[in-house]
Amino acid sequence: MPGNRAPWGSITREQVVAAATKIVRAGGYEAMTIRSLAADLGVGPMSLYRHVRDKDDILDEVVDRLLARVWRPSASEDDWEEWVTQAAEKLRRFLVTQPAALRVYLQHPVVSPAAISRMNAMMDVLRQALPDEDSARRAYAAIHTYTVGFAALESSRSGWTPGADNSDDLAVQLATYTTPEQFMDGLHALIQGVHGAIRSPE
């Protein structure tokens, strides 16, 4: 009710993002609206528009904060293959377990602070391993695209199981290969291809 609302100007962008983060971590980002978020904060919707552009603006920052907590590999950068493998797996897991993050990554190129930090770190590792800048960029693009694409497919099939009547169909069997194990198989094959470029530069 209006009488229970907080005074005009009493909230900050930090409070808005913190409230949205709790909702996203609980899995409720799809139902979240500016109006519902304002109600949670005890303010009118127009109070939020003083701090955020729209729901996508909020989600971009929430996802960035969540990504910042989880993206760093534990492997040494000197072991570039293990470092890159861990970096890709951490991103895949993040996108699959945080649907809001997958939505953000599929909507537009993500250039938030944590995403840029991750990209720069990965590029630094690849630059040390590969013979030139172009090779490093191509390797990054291939691994990143594979990771985001696999996460999208894995997420979309999370509730799907093949029917008993077509379980012997090869196409159906191959469609079930959207598991974390299959992701690692494909990633290792991709990294071996990158490794081949190191041994045999054109």
Side-chain angles (χ1 to χ4, degrees):
M1 296 176 61
N4 295 327
R5 286 179 178 171
W8 175 264
S10 62
I11 65 165
T12 63
R13 180 180 175 91
E14 176 62 31
Q15 289 175 299
V16 175
V17 173
T21 299
K22 291 177 65 175
I23 295 171
V24 168
R25 294 184 72 179
Y29 92 91
E30 290 183 330
M32 185 183 74
T33 64
I34 293 293
R35 184 175 295 278
S36 67
L37 192 55
D40 288 345
L41 291 165
V43 298
M46 293 308 297
S47 294
L48 267 64
Y49 285 117
R50 297 180 66 233
H51 304 288
V52 299
R53 184 178 64 252
D54 51 27
K55 178 178 176 177
D56 287 339
D57 181 27
I58 299 171
L59 287 178
D60 285 352
E61 184 160 348
V62 168
V63 168
D64 185 69
R65 293 187 181 198
L66 295 176
L67 176 65
R69 301 175 183 176
V70 301
W71 74 262
R72 294 185 182 277
S74 59
S76 168
E77 293 184 7
D78 293 334
D79 185 353
W80 76 268
E81 292 184 45
E82 181 60 24
W83 194 97
V84 168
T85 296
Q86 288 186 17
E89 167 57 14
K90 282 176 175 289
L91 180 60
R92 182 208 64 81
R93 189 184 311 128
F94 175 64
L95 296 177
V96 170
T97 58
Q98 292 291 347
L102 185 58
R103 166 181 162 163
V104 168
Y105 269 78
L106 293 178
Q107 276 190 324
H108 56 72
V110 180
V111 293
S112 61
I116 293 297
S117 178
R118 178 186 179 278
M119 178 195 74
N120 287 336
M122 195 164 179
M123 283 297 299
D124 286 345
V125 170
L126 291 169
R127 286 185 183 110
Q128 294 176 31
L130 294 170
D132 53 55
E133 178 70 13
D134 185 62
S135 297
R137 292 186 180 193
R138 288 177 178 275
Y140 174 86
I143 294 167
H144 186 71
T145 302
Y146 169 71
T147 302
V148 175
F150 193 99
L153 191 60
E154 181 182 352
S155 180
S156 70
R157 290 182 178 169
S158 61
W160 174 81
T161 54
D165 57 340
N166 59 8
S167 58
D168 292 331
D169 190 306
L170 177 60
V172 173
Q173 292 177 17
L174 293 177
T176 66
Y177 289 176
T178 49
T179 64
E181 294 76 19
Q182 180 64 26
F183 172 77
M184 294 301 289
D185 286 346
L187 181 61
H188 287 149
L190 188 57
I191 288 177
Q192 283 304 305
V194 173
H195 197 274
I198 300 174
R199 293 191 302 244
S200 306
E202 293 183 359

